[in-house]
Amino acid sequence: MATFDDHDHVENNPAFKGLKVNKGVASAPSVNPDAAKRFLKKRKPQLSVDDFVKGVLSGNVTILSQAVTMVESAKPEHQKIAQQIIEKCLPHSGKSIRLGITGVPGAGKSTFIESLGMHIIEQGGKLAVLAIDPSSERSKGSILGDKTRMEKLSGEQDAYIRPSPSAGSLGGVARKTRETIILCEAAGFDTIFIETVGVGQSETAVHSMVDFFLLLMLAGAGDELQGIKRGIMEMADAIAINKADGSNLQKATLAQTEYKSALHLFPPTKSEWTPEVKTCSALYHEGIAEIWEMLNKYVSLTKQNNYWNNNRRSQAKYWMYESINEQLKDHFYQRDDIKQSLAENEELVLNDEKSSFVAAKDLLETYFKNIK
Ligand SMILES: Nc1nc2c(ncn2[C@@H]2O[C@H](COP(=O)(O)OP(=O)(O)OP(=O)(O)O)[C@@H](O)[C@H]2O)c(=O)[nH]1
Ligand SMILES: [Mg+2]
């Protein structure tokens, strides 16, 4: 019969009835192996392109979000996946109304999107809200503000809200948004809003990817105050004067008359649509249904006269050239040999030791020689 002395630990003897202690180890692992296992398990397996496409087409918003993240990623391997997803989603896209919304900060864009968005969902629509804000001017507070201002909408199953891709060149941000539109359409969203702050170049980018361009204005603030350039008014298919409520109502109606006569001065549009000026209160949901009705009127007119298709086709052509331009530039500027030579040439130009034209020519020559 074994005695207690045969064991390292007395408690390991089967005859021992007290507390058991495990045999010690020379040095404990620095990471709890159980925790490490749990951590590794948590990491999501990478979806295949087909998984992405299947998920998007079935309207799975989690997978849609992951696909959009691929579109937005700067990593070449993500971009490769993104392009394959887009290509497979393309035949299932295009069937939405794409609405561009712009207006200066505080014009009420977020409140308006919430109000019109809820109206659309109540009618059985599915809405995706995207944004273009390449300036990254928007403070964190404003993004938080959006969450509270679009509180109802963000809780809706039939709404998908995606903030602007993080800061980059406008061309890059716009391309990503355009690709995201395709994914959202393939996921079954039949109305797409694209919001931008009316202060910069981004309106032109938004205008070139939407069917209808809506300018939100405030009454009582002069054009200069609102920072709206004539060119932007000229792009608008409609102007909505927001905050037409309370003591502001009269001013809004007056502004409506003024903008109507201002729009008359612009040449007729190719779409045969006469831009309209509406008043609304996004906060009190007034005039919102009328704006949706107007949009639908525009859709049936332009589908009938074929402007709808022609416009989409010329936009597609425009984006082909934009993508080429953007990718050529990226290819040039991201090369290490160019980066080096660019810095040197910049120095020479700044010191008046080389003309800008010669520097550009030298750099391009280096580029063309090295890519052969
Ligand atoms: N009285 C009134 N106030 C409104 C209306 N629409 C928006 N507001 C208020 O105006 C303020 C700005 O509205 P937002 O919807 O955040 O404006 P925004 O254009 O999204 O602003 P940014 O996101 O900063 O560009 C908020 O305090 C809103 O409650 C409206 O129709 N009537
Ligand atoms: Mg906002």
Side-chain angles (χ1 to χ4, degrees):
M1 194 187 141
T3 63
F4 285 177
D5 299 338
D6 294 332
H7 299 276
D8 295 341
H9 292 280
V10 285
E11 58 274 31
N12 287 342
N13 188 298
F16 183 74
K17 294 277 186 277
L19 262 178
K20 292 210 172 190
V21 173
N22 286 335
K23 203 174 172 179
V25 287
S27 64
S30 59
V31 177
N32 176 348
D34 288 340
K37 248 187 262 162
R38 256 179 277 139
F39 174 75
L40 285 174
K41 250 197 212 155
K42 259 195 190 158
R43 288 185 53 181
K44 276 181 244 133
Q46 177 66 55
L47 294 176
S48 72
V49 170
D50 282 340
D51 292 338
F52 271 120
V53 174
K54 227 192 279 166
V56 169
L57 293 182
S58 70
N60 182 325
V61 172
T62 312
I63 293 184
L64 171 65
S65 283
Q66 288 171 13
V68 175
T69 303
M70 291 288 139
V71 164
E72 290 176 355
S73 168
K75 288 191 185 150
E77 65 266 30
H78 288 170
Q79 275 305 305
K80 207 172 143 197
I81 295 173
Q83 292 314 315
Q84 288 172 317
I85 303 172
I86 290 162
E87 206 174 307
K88 293 197 168 164
C89 283
L90 204 57
H92 306 276
S93 71
K95 292 181 209 87
S96 77
I97 300 176
R98 303 167 183 167
L99 170 67
I101 298 171
T102 192
V104 292
K109 296 178 294 297
S110 304
T111 315
F112 178 84
I113 289 169
E114 160 106 347
S115 189
L116 180 58
M118 287 307 294
H119 179 72
I120 290 169
I121 285 173
E122 278 157 22
Q123 314 250 312
K126 278 189 80 174
L127 170 73
V129 181
L130 313 176
I132 289 192
D133 182 20
S135 59
S136 80
E137 269 166 22
R138 180 173 289 220
S139 66
K140 284 211 171 70
S142 202
I143 293 171
L144 281 180
D146 271 354
K147 278 212 169 143
T148 53
R149 258 155 233 150
M150 297 199 228
E151 202 175 17
K152 270 205 229 150
L153 202 58
S154 48
E156 284 291 330
Q157 273 223 317
D158 289 330
Y160 174 67
I161 302 174
R162 180 91 185 183
S164 174
S166 56
S169 70
L170 174 60
V173 169
R175 177 182 58 77
K176 289 169 188 169
T177 304
R178 205 179 130 83
E179 291 174 348
T180 302
I181 295 177
I182 291 165
L183 298 185
C184 290
E185 288 176 345
F189 291 94
D190 52 27
T191 312
I192 317 273
F193 286 178
I194 300 160
E195 185 209 318
T196 194
V197 180
V199 285
Q201 289 295 308
S202 45
E203 295 85 355
T204 318
V206 171
H207 183 248
S208 63
M209 62 177 81
V210 296
D211 305 307
F212 192 98
F213 194 66
L214 176 72
L215 179 54
L216 268 195
M217 294 274 228
L218 294 173
D223 282 358
E224 316 77 46
L225 254 181
Q226 298 198 26
I228 297 292
K229 293 181 210 82
R230 188 196 136 102
I232 292 166
M233 261 180 72
E234 214 163 343
M235 284 192 287
D237 296 299
I239 292 176
I241 298 156
N242 190 34
K243 308 197 188 181
D245 47 50
S247 57
N248 214 17
L249 186 58
Q250 214 180 351
K251 262 199 289 184
T253 320
L254 199 71
Q256 183 181 26
T257 319
E258 281 171 13
Y259 282 122
K260 265 187 186 164
S261 48
L263 284 186
H264 269 304
L265 301 174
F266 293 142
T269 57
K270 272 191 254 167
S271 57
E272 295 172 26
W273 168 261
T274 314
E276 292 196 16
V277 184
K278 300 275 190 197
T279 59
C280 68
S281 168
L283 196 59
Y284 298 106
H285 315 288
E286 275 161 28
I288 300 295
E290 288 77 359
I291 289 175
W292 185 234
E293 242 172 66
M294 168 187 71
L295 250 137
N296 282 306
K297 228 170 64 187
Y298 174 89
V299 175
S300 41
L301 171 85
T302 53
K303 279 192 173 169
Q304 246 165 31
N305 68 16
N306 219 22
Y307 177 78
W308 182 273
N309 279 333
N310 290 338
N311 186 40
R312 286 249 175 128
R313 285 201 341 244
S314 64
Q315 286 180 341
K317 182 179 125 184
Y318 171 84
W319 283 102
M320 182 186 84
Y321 284 105
E322 279 294 303
S323 294
I324 293 174
N325 293 346
E326 192 219 334
Q327 281 170 48
L328 278 179
K329 265 202 278 188
D330 277 358
H331 191 251
F332 176 84
Y333 285 112
Q334 276 167 14
R335 284 180 66 94
D336 287 332
D337 51 347
I338 294 297
K339 277 186 201 161
Q340 168 86 29
S341 184
L342 200 60
E344 290 162 10
N345 274 280
E346 194 183 294
E347 201 56 33
L348 292 172
V349 170
L350 283 173
N351 292 333
D352 271 338
E353 288 168 36
K354 205 179 201 181
S355 88
S356 26
F357 308 106
V358 174
K361 184 174 142 282
D362 289 351
L363 277 159
L364 285 168
E365 265 170 15
T366 311
Y367 174 73
F368 287 123
K369 200 172 71 206
N370 289 359
I371 58 166
K372 267 187 196 151

